[in-house]
Amino acid sequence: MTIEVPKLAYSVKEAVHASSLKKSTIYNYIAAGKLETRRVGGRTIIPAASLMKLLQGEAA
């Protein structure tokens, strides 16, 4: 039996795939402050909650 754990954060590439947005669009939202990012171990990650807020139209 496999337990599927929901993602807590996405890489930019994963966020592109999950949202169907273009990579440039993701970066534009990041630059505009509408999509949160974190740097962890040299990687840029996007918290899942921030991506969900953006897609639901709740981003700042």
Side-chain angles (χ1 to χ4, degrees):
M1 181 160 102
T2 303
I3 298 173
E4 193 164 323
V5 178
K7 288 189 93 41
L8 298 176
Y10 296 93
S11 67
V12 172
K13 183 177 180 178
E14 290 171 329
V16 166
H17 181 73
S19 68
S20 297
L21 297 172
K22 292 182 181 181
K23 185 163 69 169
S24 61
T25 302
I26 295 287
Y27 280 117
N28 287 339
Y29 281 126
I30 292 168
K34 294 184 178 185
L35 191 57
E36 296 176 39
T37 61
R38 303 282 186 275
R39 294 284 295 174
V40 179
R43 293 185 66 197
T44 299
I45 59 170
I46 300 166
S50 181
L51 186 59
M52 288 300 296
K53 281 182 183 180
L54 176 74
L55 296 176
Q56 293 171 349
E58 300 172 18

